[in-house]
Structures are given as structure tokens and as C-alpha cells.
Amino acid sequence: MQRWLKVSCLTAGLVASFTAAADTVVDDKYLSEDGDGSNWAAYGRNASEQRYSPLTQINADNVKQLGLAWSLDLPNERSLLATPLAVDGVIYFTASYSHTYAVDAKSGKVLWNYDPKVIEHAGDRLRIMWDSNRGPAFYKGKLIISTVDGRLVALDAKSGKMLWETMTIDPRRSYYITGAPKVFRDKVIIGNGGTEHEAARGYVTAYDINTGKQAWRFFIVPGNPADGFENKAMEMAAKTWTGEWWVHGGGGNAWNGITYDPAYNQVLVGTGNGSPWNQKIRSPGGGDNLFLCSIVALDADTGEYKWHYQTNPGETWDYNSNMDITLADVNYGGQPIKALLHAPKNGFFYVINRANGELLAAEKFAKVTWAERIDLKTGRPVEVKGARYEDGEETVWPSPFGAHSWHAMSYNPDTGLVYMPTIEMAGVFKDKGMDLGKWQSPHFYIDPGVVFGGEDTPKDYSTASLLAWDPVKQKKVWQLPLPPMWNAGTMTTKGNLVFEGRADGEFDAYNATTGDKLWAVKLGNGISSPPITYTVDGKQYISLLVGWGGGGTLLGSTAAQHGWKYKVHPRRLFTFVLDGKAPLPASPPPAFATPVDVPDFKIDDALAEQGKTRFAHSCMWCHGGGVVSGGTAPDLRESPIATSRDAFKDVVVNGVKVPNGMPRFGEFTDKDIDGLMHYIRQQARAAVVAKK
Ligand code: CA
């Protein structure tokens, strides 16, 4: 793809002549091909979302010679979750608050950055996933980013200059965007999140990539039939719902897992869980509740429904299908099939024919207790009695964090294996004691329609692994334990390698065939981003963002055990090359909170109990379950602000730290503030006592 041309340049009487690399035209043809691996031009490298590179310069024989080429400090950033892109020697990535960077891949110098001013735009909507963004898209010289406050922004990739921006959500609702936009046929598509925070009705929207004007929109669940249906698909879907589901929104939000399939010119949308999770509230007479927890194929030009496959009919556990959808040619039953590979939260690995949505295979890749198996004849799960917490309470595997989350898997066509970070953890689902008929949807706070206490998660509550899975034989080939439990996405190469960063800050290379660990480096912070690889002037590089973050950090001790403390450990972009000699930059050792007791503070247990509920609804998403911070926000058990009622109210109600990313909760009453104070002091005192 790289063409060279001669450019002459005349400036003030000086004639200069030099050769410059012509820009790669990243269009549909380019993104649909395997290519030579010189660029990583899309989220999953190309349209296939395989995260597989054909490069072999770095391979299983020489990977131990891998060393640091350079690193770039990112002192203004918090969570770094993005898959960077690399096009013509420039690395593009999104960081916290959708800050966007272009960096020279050879030198590590910042070429430009762009700040979409998310905090100013969000205002009081800045409450959820405040600093998360999973990456940009690149198309014909434009870089498209999403912002957490709900915009799509098109930038000139050369200059970073804004070309257009468009609002994709109703700002009166608590929708937000963390996902990477996807591009196809002069369009860009995006969904949103917010299922747990709103009477949410999910949808995806495609926009004209040159103007930002809406091309089409597809709602994932039906609205109120009295308002009329948008299309036949919604009319069909409405027959699978009961009660007044629209009052609670229904859900299905597509916050991740959107893949363009060039072979069939269709967009495959992985859809979300119900709003609320608890089907007894959402659709009290049962029903499949289409198109929750499904893969929905839409015509890419019109957004019209083509087919769907539902992984969890009548979802009731937050088992969404928002995990990445990978395109692969596989041989199934002696037939070559253009398939999609999908490993959603529910613990089954699905292989589906992209021509028509037919299920080819589905086996458990982790511990699963909600279903015995998937019936291949009907395509439906055979559920285990009791799993729907019919009697009010049940412990079910996997947890709402899934046996696999958004941390992307990769697929290597040479080994025929998928490489996936897995999580083994139980979830407790309980609605005993709740008045389900009186339940009301939240608005800018979390309430999933089951008891949600926001307790700490003990550090040994979960285990995790890197799993090599054969999607054709539907079995494990090798599996390695990983630190619990929030490990990053993987990349695989023709050099017979798999790369993955871990929760404990180690970045590893494995033999893709055997799983032998071949290389490791400690990068001084938890890793939540997947790596990419590309070439510049014939040299193969590997780049990785390092900055602990994402939903798994809200679990308290499970996340806090790694010692990645808020604002202590540097955020960086690392680039590796064979025989790289740059010294690794220093990072402080793991650090842990030191909870502070205020001995003369008399804890009122009833107030603390009220505070616990408020904390679970509004605070824990950043500050951690049981007031144990996982590292993406201050640990309030040691915060001096949380020892002074006036200072605490100034921050929480008056919003004095909004510029730092701490939202304002203007609706909190004095009683709410007292409750939170008492709960925080209670948790801090318990931690101090436990240490003695
Ligand atoms: Ca969810």
C-alpha cells in the first residue's frame, strides 16, 4: 500500500526536493484486506477484528530480544483502555476524558493533541465511566473519536483540527459512550451505555463520515406500542415482551462489540442486557425480550434488520453480548463457512454463520451454572431451574462481570486458536424483600433491579486465565492462570506469538502454539489496554498504553490488591522493538490505602446503612465497593475531605472538584451527606480495627 512520490517544494526562493511517503488510503478496500501488516488502522487491526498481524520480524525465536524503543509519559491521564491505531508511522489514541493524541512512532514525540472538553460538555451528567474510552477509528484521512458525554467528533488526522461534531444522545438521559466508533462505506457507527443508570432504550446510529449527519438509527428494543413501531423488526420484537416494559426502557444498549462485515455488507451489533437486569420487573410475564443479549445483523446501507441470534432469551443476570465479534473463515462440518466468533459474558463460546445467523456451535469456556448447555437444534439455552432466582436469591456463575468482558480476544488463523482473557467469579442475585411492583428506574445513578449493596469483593473471590480455545473443535488447547481478575485484551501474530498485559502490570509474550511464556516486562502500573504492532521504515514495533482502569476496578479489594493507587503510578505509552535499548522509566512500588479512624466520630448504624445504599447507587462506580478504591479514584477511607462534613459537602454537593473529574451531586440532601459520612467512617474504622 505504501507508494513513494517525489515532492518539490518552493519556499522563499529556496528549492527543496525530498521524498515523502504517500498517505495510505484507509478505505473499505484497505480495511477489508489482510494487508502487509505495516499499519494497524482499525480497532481490531482490520474489519475482521481478529487482532492478528501478519508481521513476522518479531517471532517466537527472537522475542526475548525485545526491548524498549521509547516511552511517553501521560501525566494528565487516568484510565487508559484504548486500542491505539498506527497509520503511516503515526500512533493515534484516545485517553481519559476522550483526550486524543497523535504521536510519531519512531521518536515518541507528540505531533498534536485534541481535548474535546468532556467535563465542560458533560456538566452534571459527568457521573459514569467518566474517564473511559476504548479508542478511535481512522477513515480516509479522518480520525473519529467518541466522547463520554455522547458526541462523535471527526478530526483531520494530519492536524488534529476538528472537522465536525455531532451529539448522539439525549443529554437529559444518563447515556454515555466509552466504545470505539466503527467505520464503513463513508459512514461511522456508534452505540452507547447507560443500561444500569436510566430507563434506557438502546440504539445504534450511523452518520455520514463527511458531514456528521445521521444516516440511520436502529433501536435495539421496542418502545411503547401506542407510539407506533419504527419498523417491522420492532413490531416483531414487541411480541416477545410483557407488561409495560417501555416504562423501564428495556435496555439492550450497544456499548461495545460492533463489527462491520464486508463479506455481507452488514453491521453486526452485540447488544446489551435488560434495563433493569431483573426480568420480573422488566417483563413480568416472561418472554425472550428481543433484541436483548443478541447479535443483530443490520444492512450497512439502510440499517434494516436482517437476522439475529439471541444468546440469553429473557436475560436476568446482566449477561450482555457486548463483547467483541470476530470474523473468521472456518471449516465446519466439512464446509468452509464465513463465521463470527463471540464469547459473551454468559460463559459460552458461540460460532455463528454470518450468512443467516445460524448457530453452528456453543460450548462452555468457563464455569457456568445458569444453563446446562445450548441446544444446537433450537439454538436456545437449556437453563438450570432456580438460576433465575425464582425464590428470591441464587448464586450463579458467571458474575455480572462475565466469564469474558470487553477485553478483546484475538484469533490466529495459523494456529486456528482464539486467545481470550477469562474471569471465573460467581454473582449473587437477590430480590427477596424488594417490592418489585413499586420499583422505579434510576436516573443518573445505578440500580439494576436486584439488591445492590455495593460490598467489597475479597481479593481471592475470583480467578482469571489466558485461554487458548479451538473454535472448531470447541475445546481448550491451553490455559494459563493470570492474576485476578481484570486482565487486558490480547494480540496475536504470524510470528507464532500472543501478547497480553496483566492486572499486575506485567506485559508478556507467549508461544501461540504451546502457551510457553517467552518474554515478560514489568511496566509499573496495571494494564487495561491491548497491544498493537506495525512497521515504520521496515522495522516492526509493538505499542501499548499502560494505565489501570475500567469497570473491574470498582470491585474493591479484588482490584486494590495490585496496589495501583490513584495518581501515584504513571500513565504511559510504551513502544518496543527488537534490541531496543531505552531504559524502562521508573514507577513507584505498589501502594495501598491507609484508612484513617476519627476516634471521636460516633457512628450511627442506621445512618451508615442509608449511606451504604447511597454509596452503592452513586459513589462505588469510581470509589470502589465497600469504600475500597480499586485505583481509579481516591480511597475515601483515607481521604481528609471525608473527615470534614463541610469539605465533604463542598466536593459532593457544591462540585468544587468538578474540574478534577469529581462529579457534582446537587440533589443530595443533608441526610444523604450524613449517611455517606457515617458509612465512610464505619468502613474506615472497620479497616483500622482489622489491621490491629
Ligand atoms: Ca450491563
Side-chain angles (χ1 to χ4, degrees):
M1 263 293 146
Q2 207 132 16
R3 297 179 306 268
W4 295 83
L5 34 106
K6 197 95 167 161
V7 179
S8 289
C9 159
L10 180 68
T11 5
L14 174 89
V15 180
S17 177
F18 58 91
T19 49
D23 296 341
T24 299
V25 179
V26 177
D27 57 8
D28 290 274
K29 181 172 183 300
Y30 186 81
L31 291 171
S32 68
E33 290 169 348
D34 288 336
D36 61 6
S38 58
N39 293 324
W40 188 289
Y43 186 69
R45 195 183 75 85
N46 60 16
S48 74
E49 304 273 343
Q50 289 179 356
R51 294 176 180 265
Y52 164 80
S53 169
L55 297 176
T56 56
Q57 195 178 91
I58 300 167
N59 56 57
D61 294 328
N62 64 15
V63 70
K64 55 183 149 337
Q65 292 160 242
L66 207 55
L68 187 66
W70 53 263
S71 65
L72 172 67
D73 275 49
L74 300 165
N76 297 324
E77 307 307 334
R78 312 277 160 84
S79 302
L80 296 173
L81 313 183
T83 299
L85 307 180
V87 181
D88 298 333
V90 178
I91 303 170
Y92 302 92
F93 65 93
T94 50
S96 311
Y97 318 106
S98 314
H99 294 155
T100 306
Y101 294 75
V103 176
D104 181 82
K106 266 164 77 173
S107 66
K109 292 250 161 23
V110 175
L111 300 173
W112 56 257
N113 51 37
Y114 175 79
D115 180 0
K117 304 216 179 291
V118 158
I119 294 174
E120 286 90 325
H121 274 84
D124 285 355
R125 292 185 295 127
L126 176 81
R127 293 220 174 160
I128 184 69
M129 303 310 294
W130 48 300
D131 64 350
S132 297
N133 192 280
R134 284 188 295 279
F138 194 103
Y139 193 83
K140 296 183 184 173
K142 290 186 182 70
L143 194 75
I144 319 287
I145 62 164
S146 61
T147 69
V148 71
D149 59 287
R151 288 169 291 152
L152 275 185
V153 184
L155 305 173
D156 181 310
K158 277 267 181 314
S159 64
K161 202 174 123 279
M162 198 243 281
L163 301 172
W164 55 258
E165 67 175 338
T166 190
M167 190 59 174
T168 74
I169 62 165
D170 178 347
R172 293 167 300 184
R173 317 290 296 275
S174 54
Y175 298 125
Y176 58 86
I177 303 178
T178 54
K182 298 295 174 71
V183 289
F184 54 89
R185 293 167 72 90
D186 291 304
K187 292 184 186 65
V188 52
I189 188 169
I190 195 72
N192 50 62
T195 325
E196 284 80 17
H197 310 87
E198 177 69 65
R201 185 186 179 203
Y203 58 88
V204 292
T205 317
Y207 297 88
D208 182 303
I209 206 152
N210 294 309
T211 63
K213 288 216 166 63
Q214 182 173 324
W216 52 260
R217 173 167 290 180
F218 182 82
F219 284 96
I220 290 158
V221 297
N224 186 346
D227 299 336
F229 296 110
E230 287 86 359
N231 50 50
K232 285 232 155 38
M234 285 300 101
E235 195 175 349
M236 181 245 282
K239 297 190 173 100
T240 66
W241 291 76
T242 54
E244 298 188 331
W245 69 86
W246 58 90
V247 173
H248 300 304
N253 297 58
W255 51 269
N256 188 62
I258 300 174
T259 294
Y260 172 65
D261 174 1
Y264 295 100
N265 191 34
Q266 60 192 0
V267 182
L268 304 167
V269 181
T271 70
N273 52 276
S275 176
W277 296 355
N278 192 340
Q279 197 195 18
K280 294 176 217 169
I281 298 171
R282 188 182 70 233
S283 185
D288 285 356
N289 297 174
L290 294 173
F291 296 100
L292 296 184
C293 301
S294 301
I295 290 169
V296 183
L298 304 174
D299 182 288
D301 296 332
T302 63
E304 246 173 274
Y305 167 89
K306 289 177 70 178
W307 55 258
H308 78 277
Y309 175 79
Q310 190 174 40
T311 53
N312 271 93
E315 184 302 300
T316 199
W317 308 272
D318 188 24
Y319 288 164
N320 55 53
S321 255
N322 298 118
M323 287 67 243
D324 294 287
I325 297 165
T326 306
L327 312 182
D329 294 328
V330 295
N331 272 293
Y332 236 92
Q335 297 289 318
I337 287 173
K338 292 193 182 308
L340 72 86
L341 313 178
H342 184 53
K345 280 184 180 179
N346 75 17
F348 285 91
F349 193 103
Y350 296 85
V351 184
I352 289 168
N353 186 338
R354 278 144 52 201
N356 51 19
E358 183 198 356
L359 178 68
L360 301 170
E363 291 294 334
K364 291 176 183 177
F365 65 85
K367 181 168 175 178
V368 172
T369 66
W370 66 273
E372 284 170 28
R373 63 193 165 84
I374 308 297
D375 184 330
L376 290 184
K377 278 212 186 74
T378 63
R380 297 177 69 89
V382 179
E383 288 186 11
V384 173
K385 203 167 155 37
R388 291 180 168 270
Y389 40 107
E390 292 92 326
D391 60 1
E393 184 170 359
E394 191 68 27
T395 298
V396 183
W397 298 67
S399 81
F401 281 85
H404 172 224
S405 188
W406 57 263
H407 299 293
M409 61 189 191
S410 56
Y411 171 71
N412 188 321
D414 309 318
T415 62
L417 301 180
V418 165
Y419 306 96
M420 171 171 43
T422 73
I423 301 166
E424 300 273 13
M425 183 163 73
V428 180
F429 297 87
K430 187 175 166 185
D431 58 16
K432 214 182 263 173
M434 287 174 59
D435 187 344
L436 300 182
K438 289 224 173 87
W439 186 86
Q440 288 196 336
S441 286
H443 185 56
F444 290 97
Y445 63 89
I446 304 173
D447 186 347
V450 290
V451 173
F452 194 65
E455 282 86 2
D456 182 29
T457 304
K459 58 185 180 186
D460 56 357
Y461 190 72
S462 56
T463 60
S465 82
L466 171 59
L467 173 66
W469 180 263
D470 184 328
V472 174
K473 293 186 182 131
Q474 283 282 314
K475 61 168 208 194
K476 170 175 94 181
V477 174
W478 52 262
Q479 187 167 24
L480 302 169
L482 292 178
M485 46 63 90
W486 197 238
N487 297 290
T490 69
M491 170 183 81
T492 185
T493 73
K494 199 174 179 61
N496 198 27
L497 291 169
V498 180
F499 289 88
E500 187 187 18
R502 315 195 317 193
D504 65 355
E506 189 173 295
F507 182 39
D508 296 319
Y510 304 92
N511 180 306
T513 309
T514 63
D516 291 329
K517 194 195 277 192
L518 302 176
W519 175 81
V521 63
K522 290 198 164 48
L523 297 179
N525 200 344
I527 302 169
S528 301
S529 291
I532 62 163
T533 188
Y534 52 90
T535 60
V536 188
D537 296 343
K539 249 191 194 172
Q540 185 182 355
Y541 294 88
I542 291 170
S543 290
L544 175 73
L545 287 163
V546 175
W548 184 232
T553 59
L554 70 80
L555 280 173
S557 296
T558 280
Q561 66 181 305
H562 300 299
W564 309 125
K565 205 172 173 184
Y566 180 68
K567 283 200 168 170
V568 170
H569 299 92
R571 271 58 181 158
R572 291 177 171 132
L573 173 63
F574 289 89
T575 290
F576 298 91
V577 66
L578 287 178
D579 303 315
K581 295 282 188 287
L584 278 172
S587 183
F592 301 90
T594 311
V596 175
D597 191 21
V598 181
D600 54 355
F601 190 103
K602 201 171 170 318
I603 293 162
D604 179 319
D605 287 341
L607 265 179
E609 193 58 29
Q610 287 169 27
K612 182 186 173 196
T613 304
R614 174 59 64 202
F615 190 90
H617 283 173
S618 297
C619 314
M620 96 174 247
W621 201 278
C622 299
H623 292 283
V627 206
V628 180
S629 169
T632 50
D635 192 303
L636 299 180
R637 298 170 306 163
E638 64 176 0
S639 160
I641 291 167
T643 64
S644 152
R645 195 183 185 285
D646 288 345
F648 189 67
K649 192 174 169 179
D650 259 354
V651 171
V652 177
V653 179
N654 300 330
V656 299
K657 284 194 178 283
V658 164
N660 303 35
M662 167 64 199
R664 191 177 81 91
F665 295 84
E667 76 276 22
F668 280 14
T669 62
D670 280 355
K671 208 176 161 199
D672 289 327
I673 292 297
D674 288 334
L676 286 169
M677 292 280 301
H678 281 258
Y679 178 56
I680 292 165
R681 295 271 58 84
Q682 182 194 59
Q683 295 306 103
R685 186 167 296 170
V688 169
V689 168
K691 258 200 177 146
K692 276 182 183 160

